[in-house]
């Protein structure tokens, strides 16, 4: 049977995901942080967050049985997917067959394997918390900018998503917010109820969307990281205490007219950038 799908060339009708999971014995592994999404409407909503995907390159991390992958392929994306769990590969191979030339699956740990895609590409992932945060810090850190990726669409625990988009003055504001906002625009794109996952995790989730922006001139990413590490490492302390171990930091605060009795969480992202520029 030939089924037409918007923006893609799907050759065969796909069986329901739950059937695929049962047929391939894909019981969710706790160790691999597996919580699967089955709701097609929700998956299409997530796949729409990066914008128009017809013909675009997408790097998906952790496709699992392929629910989100299907939505990306339906949207016409050319997907390279990295999956650690070899049990998922036969199900993903069926998906690659149904969408010829649209899906390449790489088996491995996304923290270690190379994907070999030349940019630009969108990154989309529903990952376990620890892997997602480590990759996020890697994608947003580093001196080289702009990055090869043109957007990040990532599922996190809601509490982590709130830390990424947090504004100064809130308890969620910290290193992750500065990292995500100093040369990118980050927004909370979609809240996802825990009951949408199988099995449901203990906490609510949310999808964050990040787009790279122009990098402020004269600022070392490493220096900004050292500064926020010091400042938020002792977030209850005044800056004159928390950053005093960073050579030149107190002088930079003075030069910029930033009161050293303030605490880290009161400094805007632009103020952190200005101090880091003085130190870079
Ligand atoms: N994307 C699917 C969905 O939305 O239903 C599965 C999501 S599940 C939360 C996370 C997936 O990431 C699992 O398939 C798991 O095996 C995979 N995974 C976990 N750690 C990984 C890693 N280090 N590298 C690649 N994949 C990983």
């Amino acid at each position: 049977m030939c089924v037409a799908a918007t923006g893609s060339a799907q050759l065969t009708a796909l069986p329901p995901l739950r059937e695929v999971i049962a047929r391939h014995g894909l019981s969710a592994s706790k160790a691999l942080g597996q919580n699967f999404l089955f709701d097609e409407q929700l998956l299409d909503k997530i796949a729409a967050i990066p914008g128009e995907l017809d013909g675009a390159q997408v790097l998906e991390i952790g496709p699992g049985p392929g629910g989100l992958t299907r939505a990306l392929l339906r949207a016409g994306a050319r997907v390279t997917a990295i999956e650690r769990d070899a049990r998922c590969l036969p199900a993903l191979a069926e998906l690659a067959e149904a969408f010829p030339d649209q899906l390449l699956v790489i088996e491995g740990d996304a923290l270690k394997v190379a994907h070999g895609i030349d940019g630009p590409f969108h990154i989309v992932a529903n990952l376990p918390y620890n892997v997602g945060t480590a990759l996020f810090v890697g994608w947003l850190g580093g001196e080289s900018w702009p990055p090869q990726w043109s957007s990040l669409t990532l599922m996190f625990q809601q509490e982590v998503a709130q830390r990424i988009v947090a504004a100064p003055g809130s308890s969620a504001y910290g290193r992750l917010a500065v990292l995500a906002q100093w040369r990118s625009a980050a927004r909370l794109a979609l809240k996802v109820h825990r009951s949408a996952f199988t099995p449901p995790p203990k906490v609510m989730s949310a999808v964050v969307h990040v787009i790279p922006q122009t990098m402020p001139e004269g600022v070392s990413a490493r220096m900004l990281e050292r500064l926020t590490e010091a400042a938020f490492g002792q977030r209850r302390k005044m800056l004159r205490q928390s950053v005093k171990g960073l050579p030149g930091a107190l002088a930079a605060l003075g030069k910029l007219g930033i009161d050293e009795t303030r605490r880290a969480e009161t400094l805007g992202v632009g103020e952190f950038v200005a101090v880091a520029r003085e130190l870079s």
Side-chain angles (χ1 to χ4, degrees):
M1 183 171 54
C2 191
V3 179
T6 317
S8 65
Q10 185 182 339
L11 282 188
T12 50
L14 290 164
L17 267 175
R18 286 182 196 277
E19 191 187 310
V20 172
I21 284 173
R23 186 157 39 87
H24 293 287
L26 301 177
S27 53
S29 149
K30 223 177 174 180
L32 286 171
Q34 292 180 337
N35 303 92
F36 302 135
L37 291 171
F38 295 128
D39 179 343
E40 267 193 21
Q41 268 189 346
L42 171 64
L43 289 161
D44 284 338
K45 253 192 196 174
I46 297 169
I49 290 172
E52 178 57 55
L53 286 185
D54 198 4
Q57 291 204 91
V58 170
L59 174 63
E60 187 194 359
I61 315 289
L68 186 51
T69 321
R70 288 181 179 204
L72 295 165
L73 295 168
R74 277 196 293 272
R78 306 173 77 81
V79 180
T80 299
I82 304 178
E83 174 55 60
R84 192 174 177 179
D85 184 356
R87 296 178 312 152
C88 296
L89 300 184
L92 293 167
E94 286 173 11
L95 210 47
E97 244 175 64
F99 290 88
D101 303 324
Q102 269 186 261
L103 176 61
L104 172 70
V105 179
I106 300 171
E107 182 190 352
D109 181 343
L111 294 166
K112 293 180 191 152
V113 297
H115 54 70
I117 315 174
D118 287 327
F121 53 89
H122 299 277
I123 297 180
V124 178
N126 171 21
L127 275 171
Y129 161 70
N130 54 342
V131 181
T133 311
L135 288 170
F136 185 77
V137 169
W139 288 326
L140 285 159
E143 300 296 340
S144 165
W145 202 263
Q148 281 198 306
W149 49 267
S150 45
S151 76
L152 304 177
T153 299
L154 308 172
M155 181 82 76
F156 285 104
Q157 292 175 219
Q158 196 167 296
E159 177 259 324
V160 176
Q162 273 156 352
R163 279 167 47 204
I164 289 169
V165 302
S170 66
S171 59
Y173 183 64
R175 288 171 69 186
L176 217 42
V178 177
L179 177 71
Q181 298 173 33
W182 77 281
R183 52 184 177 177
S184 307
R187 71 187 174 98
L188 201 155
L190 186 69
K191 289 188 180 175
V192 183
H193 197 274
R194 48 187 289 280
S195 62
F197 298 87
T198 302
K202 288 201 178 73
V203 293
M204 300 295 204
S205 296
V207 181
V208 168
H209 184 226
V210 180
I211 299 177
Q213 311 272 291
T214 310
M215 178 166 163
E217 272 177 34
V219 183
S220 147
R222 176 76 194 115
M223 182 51 75
L224 180 64
E225 199 192 311
R226 284 178 61 194
L227 174 65
T228 55
E229 191 181 345
F232 288 107
Q234 302 182 65
R235 61 184 298 142
R236 307 242 168 272
K237 300 245 167 81
M238 293 178 194
L239 290 169
R240 79 167 156 233
Q241 174 67 26
S242 59
V243 304
K244 75 172 182 211
L246 201 57
L250 294 180
L253 292 175
K255 186 172 169 200
L256 293 164
I258 297 173
D259 185 346
E260 56 181 47
T261 65
R262 287 169 65 186
R263 294 196 180 89
E265 69 189 35
T266 72
L267 257 64
V269 174
E271 288 179 301
F272 275 112
V273 166
V275 178
R277 182 181 287 115
E278 288 297 320
L279 298 174
S280 295

